[in-house]
Amino acid sequence: MRLAFFGDVHGNFEALKAVLEDMENKGVDEVFCLGDLVGYGPDPEAVVQTIMEKNIKTIMGNYDDAVGYSKESCGCSYAPGRETEVGDISLKWSIENTSEKTREFLRNLPKKLSFEVEGVRFLLVHGSPLNELLEYVKPNTPPDRLKKIVESVEENVVVNGHTHLPMVKWVMGKLVLNPGSAGRPKDGDPRASYMIVDVENGTVSFEIVRVRYDVKTTVEKIARNGLPVELATVLALGQTFDMGPGKVTFTLGR
Ligand SMILES: [Fe+2]
């Protein structure tokens, strides 16, 4: 059984199309989305419509919650600064540029999903099992916290999103996976990110897949809609713009 996980699309329709097409070429049996369909990007409506039309099993991210309920903040724990400002501007814009039907769909997304494939049990949450919408489970999350998170679940594999950083970790005999972000990568590689997981006879193998997409079109849409230019910078660089001097690295030509 071949599963695909993706998330953090953030209104990037071009990235979503590229990821779904790549999954189809790779013969995926089932597709799961880890939330944050909207926010930041210029196509929240088209992204949600596509997810609805294709009947992709999806859980709620903090941005889906914020847009669905027309909130004033995404609940992200950014320090005050330009990233927070840009997030707030894009959230307001996303609420204004989605239909009631789309916001209703976002409100009704489940906060977690548990299922079994060939004897292997999976738990999907956007953040963490202990704080489903907002906790960041990062590569540098302290081991004690990771242990606590893993102890709280019965499943064998936890798949989450939210950090926009692909991650694979073994913690106390369980697997913690993050496919990275399809529509707003932050690991220095601007290509869309998702994950393929093969389950065969109780064995789990995985691959993080990176896909080139038409970033130019997404950037043009950001400009045409008068959204902050930083939203385009993040897509071009594949990382956030608020990291401070000396921490910015990216690879030219990718
Ligand atoms: Fe996100």
Side-chain angles (χ1 to χ4, degrees), residues 8 10 35-36 40 62-63 126 162-164:
D8 295 287
H10 285 296
D36 270 5
Y40 302 121
N62 54 309
Y63 259 96
H126 181 70
H162 194 41
T163 65
H164 298 210

Side-chain angles (χ1 to χ4, degrees), residues 97-247:
N97 286 276
T98 40
S99 63
E100 175 49 32
K101 191 179 165 210
T102 282
R103 291 195 300 276
E104 189 188 358
F105 176 81
L106 295 173
R107 285 195 294 276
N108 286 316
L109 290 172
K111 287 188 179 151
K112 61 180 169 185
L113 186 63
S114 181
F115 59 91
E116 189 173 320
V117 175
E118 297 186 29
V120 180
R121 287 183 296 162
F122 289 81
L123 174 67
L124 272 49
V125 281
H126 181 70
S128 99
L130 296 173
N131 184 343
E132 289 141 350
L133 294 185
L134 293 175
E135 181 171 4
Y136 294 94
V137 184
K138 293 179 178 174
N140 63 356
T141 294
D144 280 2
R145 182 62 188 170
L146 278 178
K147 195 173 160 224
K148 212 168 195 167
I149 288 167
V150 162
E151 275 172 355
S152 73
V153 303
E154 299 197 331
E155 289 82 354
N156 312 105
V157 183
V158 178
V159 192
N160 55 18
H162 194 41
T163 65
H164 298 210
L165 302 170
M167 187 178 88
V168 174
K169 267 192 198 277
W170 274 108
V171 185
M172 298 171 63
K174 295 186 182 189
L175 206 47
V176 182
L177 305 177
N178 188 323
S181 169
R184 189 176 156 88
K186 287 185 182 175
D187 63 341
D189 181 347
R191 294 174 300 173
S193 188
Y194 79 97
M195 186 178 265
I196 285 185
V197 174
D198 288 307
V199 186
E200 213 180 333
N201 300 324
T203 301
V204 178
S205 52
F206 46 83
E207 183 193 353
I208 290 164
V209 184
R210 303 305 288 248
V211 188
R212 284 178 203 278
Y213 73 95
D214 182 7
V215 67
K216 185 170 174 279
T217 295
T218 309
V219 164
E220 282 169 1
K221 286 179 183 174
I222 288 169
R224 270 209 305 274
N225 283 289
L227 285 160
V229 66
E230 289 94 336
L231 294 172
T233 312
V234 169
L235 298 185
L237 297 183
Q239 64 187 37
T240 182
F241 50 85
D242 247 7
M243 296 177 78
K247 290 187 181 168

Side-chain angles (χ1 to χ4, degrees), residues 8-28:
D8 295 287
V9 181
H10 285 296
N12 188 338
F13 186 54
E14 281 67 37
L16 175 66
K17 276 192 298 188
V19 159
L20 293 178
E21 196 182 308
D22 199 69
M23 287 171 187
E24 210 168 304
N25 293 341
K26 290 189 163 68
V28 164

